[in-house]
């Protein structure tokens, strides 16, 4: 009887343990760069569609628009959501030869921005950081933030919620690696640039990486217009003299920009809604 009672007790505990764990969805590993690129492009497209619909909803909230929003959100869930997108990004990044973090460290070194006094560090904010790529560089004091961190050293935070009152003119470097293109609304992208300007020191540096298509295949933006936008916010290309390195570089897939904080020029009028590219495959980035 005791043995039977013991067995029954064990069975109940095992059932309890089994029932306390909800079934976990099986997530297939990403197996190729082709697959990772497809997921990234698909997710970017859906994010843009969602932002456009949400803007329309603000102006004219109708049931049709709300249904469209639900459809797009459902498509994002089918892909695997933000986590699947990040999996694809991390996978793709590991194969890149044109890694933004390597380029940024090279620019800082080439322009004598690395501290020469032992123990001194440059204060760096990495916006939209998956894995805090700068945490092991001894002369950088790196703070990494992301809306959905993949690394324990990355703080869960939306840059739009950043408390600028405690961080005015406090950073030497701000990094936006493949972040601006993830934000679907042009006004929000402008706000991000203004926030970066606020928290950078007087001669602070801003590094921006975007897909090359955002510059050479946008309906509303090209290289010169992007530089004018940056001048308006308060950024000039860095370095001004091209003795050490180029302030603008490209690879087959990416555009790399380095800027230094200057005075803003709100008087500059830039017609970012003016059509620059009439190709049928041009994107809406502005």
């Amino acid at each position: 009887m005791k043995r039977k009672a013991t067995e029954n007790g064990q069975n109940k505990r095992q059932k309890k343990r089994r029932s306390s764990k909800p079934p976990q969805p099986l997530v297939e590993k990403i197996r190729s760069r082709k697959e990772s690129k497809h997921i990234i492009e698909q997710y970017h497209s859906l994010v843009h569609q969602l932002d456009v619909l949400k803007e329309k909803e603000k102006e004219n909230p109708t049931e049709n628009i709300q249904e469209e929003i639900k459809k797009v959100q459902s498509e994002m869930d089918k892909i695997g959501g933000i986590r699947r997108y990040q999996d694809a990004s991390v996978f793709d990044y590991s194969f890149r030869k044109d890694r933004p973090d390597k380029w940024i460290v090279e620019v800082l070194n080439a322009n004598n921005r690395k501290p020469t006094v032992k123990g001194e560090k440059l204060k760096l904010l990495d916006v939209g950081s998956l894995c805090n790529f700068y945490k092991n560089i001894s002369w950088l004091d790196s703070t990494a933030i992301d809306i959905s961190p993949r690394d324990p050293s990355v703080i869960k935070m939306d840059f739009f919620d950043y408390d600028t009152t405690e961080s005015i003119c406090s950073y030497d470097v701000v990094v936006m690696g493949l972040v601006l293109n993830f934000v679907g609304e042009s006004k929000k992208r402008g706000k991000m640039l203004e926030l970066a300007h606020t928290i950078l020191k007087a001669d602070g540096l801003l590094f921006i990486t975007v897909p090359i298509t955002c510059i050479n295949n946008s309906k509303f933006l090209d290289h010169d217009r992007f530089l004018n936008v940056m001048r308006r916010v308060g950024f000039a290309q860095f370095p001004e003299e091209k003795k050490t390195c180029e302030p603008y570089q490209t690879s087959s897939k990416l555009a790399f920009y380095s800027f230094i904080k200057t005075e803003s020029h709100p008087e500059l009028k830039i017609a970012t809604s003016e059509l620059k590219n009439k190709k049928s495959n041009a994107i809406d980035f502005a």
Side-chain angles (χ1 to χ4, degrees), residues 103 106-107 208-210 212 223 237 244-251 254-258:
W103 163 69
E106 286 173 7
V107 173
I208 293 174
T209 309
V210 291
I212 189 69
H223 175 71
Q237 283 191 283
T244 53
C245 60
E246 293 284 338
Y248 166 66
Q249 296 180 26
T250 61
S251 67
L254 301 176
F256 304 87
Y257 286 91
S258 50

Side-chain angles (χ1 to χ4, degrees), residues 172-203:
D172 299 288
V173 179
V174 172
V175 177
M176 292 183 179
L178 298 173
V179 173
L180 286 178
N181 55 289
F182 189 79
V183 179
E185 189 185 339
S186 59
K187 288 180 182 178
K188 284 187 175 181
R189 288 194 283 268
K191 180 65 176 174
M192 288 187 80
L193 296 174
E194 289 171 359
L195 283 171
H197 192 272
T198 299
I199 63 177
L200 276 168
K201 293 179 180 178
D203 61 345

Side-chain angles (χ1 to χ4, degrees), residues 91-110:
F91 185 91
D92 188 65
Y93 204 90
S94 65
F95 288 93
R96 284 193 175 279
K97 292 180 181 178
D98 54 354
R99 288 178 52 165
D101 56 311
K102 290 184 178 180
W103 163 69
I104 288 166
V105 171
E106 286 173 7
V107 173
L108 293 172
N109 273 315

Side-chain angles (χ1 to χ4, degrees), residues 94-265:
S94 65
F95 288 93
R96 284 193 175 279
K97 292 180 181 178
D98 54 354
R99 288 178 52 165
D101 56 311
K102 290 184 178 180
W103 163 69
I104 288 166
V105 171
E106 286 173 7
V107 173
L108 293 172
N109 273 315
N111 290 279
N112 301 315
R113 287 291 179 131
K114 180 179 177 180
T116 55
V117 178
K118 189 177 180 181
E120 282 190 1
K121 295 184 178 184
L122 292 181
K123 196 174 177 185
L124 178 148
L125 178 65
D126 189 9
V127 181
S129 175
L130 288 175
C131 301
N132 197 356
F133 299 105
Y134 307 94
K135 64 183 177 183
N136 294 322
I137 299 174
S138 61
W139 47 277
L140 290 176
D141 176 12
S142 172
T143 299
I145 64 173
D146 194 87
I147 57 173
S148 183
R150 297 299 300 269
D151 187 280
S153 64
V154 180
I155 300 167
K156 183 178 175 62
M157 183 187 293
D158 190 324
F159 187 49
F160 292 109
D161 298 328
Y162 202 84
D163 186 3
T164 56
T165 56
E166 296 181 4
S167 305
I168 293 175
C169 303
S170 62
Y171 282 96
D172 299 288
V173 179
V174 172
V175 177
M176 292 183 179
L178 298 173
V179 173
L180 286 178
N181 55 289
F182 189 79
V183 179
E185 189 185 339
S186 59
K187 288 180 182 178
K188 284 187 175 181
R189 288 194 283 268
K191 180 65 176 174
M192 288 187 80
L193 296 174
E194 289 171 359
L195 283 171
H197 192 272
T198 299
I199 63 177
L200 276 168
K201 293 179 180 178
D203 61 345
L205 301 180
L206 172 63
F207 292 93
I208 293 174
T209 309
V210 291
I212 189 69
T213 51
C214 292
I215 303 299
N216 65 13
N217 194 35
S218 168
K219 291 179 182 177
F220 309 105
L221 199 71
D222 58 17
H223 175 71
D224 291 333
R225 185 173 281 183
F226 181 57
L227 293 185
N228 283 331
V229 169
M230 297 304 293
R231 287 189 196 102
R232 190 179 194 279
V233 178
F235 289 102
Q237 283 191 283
F238 176 86
E240 290 184 39
E241 296 182 12
K242 301 175 184 179
K243 292 179 181 178
T244 53
C245 60
E246 293 284 338
Y248 166 66
Q249 296 180 26
T250 61
S251 67
S252 60
K253 297 290 183 182
L254 301 176
F256 304 87
Y257 286 91
S258 50
F259 297 97
I260 188 168
K261 180 178 176 176
T262 59
E263 292 294 321
S264 60
H265 295 279

